[in-house]
Amino acid sequence: MIPAALHLSDAEISAMLSAFLWPLFRILGFFLAEPVFSSRSIPRQAKIIMGIALTVMIAPLLPPMPVVPVISGTGLLIIVHQLLIGLAMGYVMRLMLTAVEMAGFFASSQMGLGFAMFFDPQHSGQVPTLSRLLSLLTLLLLLAMNGHHLMLSTLINSFKVFPISTEGLPAISFRLLAEWGHEVFALGLLLSMPVMAALLIANVAMGVMTRAAPQFNVFTFGFPLTITIGFVVLYFSMPYFIEAVKMLYEHGTSLILTLLKAQPG
């Protein structure tokens, strides 16, 4: 027997499209800014496939979508809102990785390695070698601690905390996002504090030695000494760096929830 033709009304087609299209744009926006999934080593086709697969899996669990035609001005506005929400969430996690890179920049400057630059394909520019080393270490630790699962669960929970609607993020959320930019410098300085404190003590000690023995050539011994002390302190601080990375990304996920729950006033 020939099965009867499937007849769908425009409202039913619009409901099916909205159930998958609007969540997809929030997920793709998150993938565009988040440090793990936005890596240029992952092809764009793979990112799109991952976004579609994740959308198909979570679509039956999402709250009801607004009754708005997808092909309309309001429907396109919802798409833009979802893309901006995903970008904002991914940007918060990007700030956490940038704080580690900033810590590497501070430490390399104090160690005398500020001139040692390395091409970073992620930023398409030259970055300090130590910053690149710490950022790669952070990403590896994040994957080892299933941090990518934590990010995906935060992304999925965002649909319950801030359901898809005709309203986007309030202006206060974007203000908070801009204000959190200063945390890059604060967290970077905090993470680099062991190296900077040790090098400060070393520089003070070399200054005292230079005053006590003027024949002591500080330029001959100072540069290799600061590099050696810096790497030794980095080596002994690595066990604490693991816990710092964990706390850093937990802090990032809490900031995402604060961003989504922000209310005017």
Side-chain angles (χ1 to χ4, degrees), residues 145-163:
M145 295 184 296
N146 289 328
H148 54 298
H149 293 168
L150 176 64
M151 294 181 188
L152 291 178
S153 64
T154 304
L155 174 61
I156 296 172
N157 289 332
S158 70
F159 291 100
K160 299 179 180 178
V161 177
F162 195 88

Side-chain angles (χ1 to χ4, degrees), residues 10 35 68 77 92 223:
D10 292 340
V68 175
L77 185 62
V92 172
F223 182 66

Side-chain angles (χ1 to χ4, degrees), residues 35 94 96-109 111 113 116 118 120 123 127-143 145 187-196 230-231 233-242 244-246 248-249:
R94 168 67 61 181
M96 301 300 105
L97 181 63
T98 306
V100 177
E101 295 174 349
M102 187 63 68
F105 174 77
F106 289 149
S108 61
S109 299
M111 292 169 59
L113 292 177
F118 182 83
D120 185 6
H123 297 86
V127 297
T129 305
L130 191 58
S131 296
R132 180 60 177 162
L133 177 64
L134 291 180
S135 64
L136 287 176
L137 179 61
T138 302
L139 290 176
L140 290 176
L141 289 174
L142 184 65
L143 295 175
M145 295 184 296
L187 294 174
L189 184 62
L190 186 63
L191 290 173
S192 63
M193 192 59 68
V195 176
M196 297 184 67
F231 279 113
V233 174
L234 277 176
Y235 175 78
F236 284 105
S237 62
M238 280 297 105
Y240 306 98
F241 187 75
I242 299 174
V245 170
K246 181 180 178 181
L248 197 65
Y249 277 91

Side-chain angles (χ1 to χ4, degrees), residues 2-60:
I2 301 176
L6 180 63
H7 296 284
L8 295 175
S9 64
D10 292 340
E12 292 173 335
I13 294 176
S14 178
M16 293 175 60
L17 286 176
S18 63
F20 293 96
L21 190 62
W22 291 335
L24 176 63
F25 274 88
R26 182 184 294 194
I27 293 172
L28 291 180
F30 183 78
F31 284 176
L32 285 175
E34 192 273 333
V36 175
F37 299 99
S38 65
S39 175
R40 295 192 177 185
S41 59
I42 303 177
R44 296 178 182 177
Q45 295 84 350
K47 297 177 185 178
I48 295 175
I49 292 174
M50 287 191 299
I52 294 174
L54 184 60
T55 304
V56 171
M57 287 188 291
I58 68 173

Side-chain angles (χ1 to χ4, degrees), residues 9 39 46 53 62 89 91 107 110 115 119 122 156 162 168 177 180 231 256-257 260:
S9 64
S39 175
L62 299 182
M89 294 170 57
Y91 178 72
Q110 293 298 316
F115 63 89
F119 180 78
Q122 186 67 28
I156 296 172
F162 195 88
L177 192 62
W180 288 336
F231 279 113
I256 289 178
L257 295 179
L260 297 176

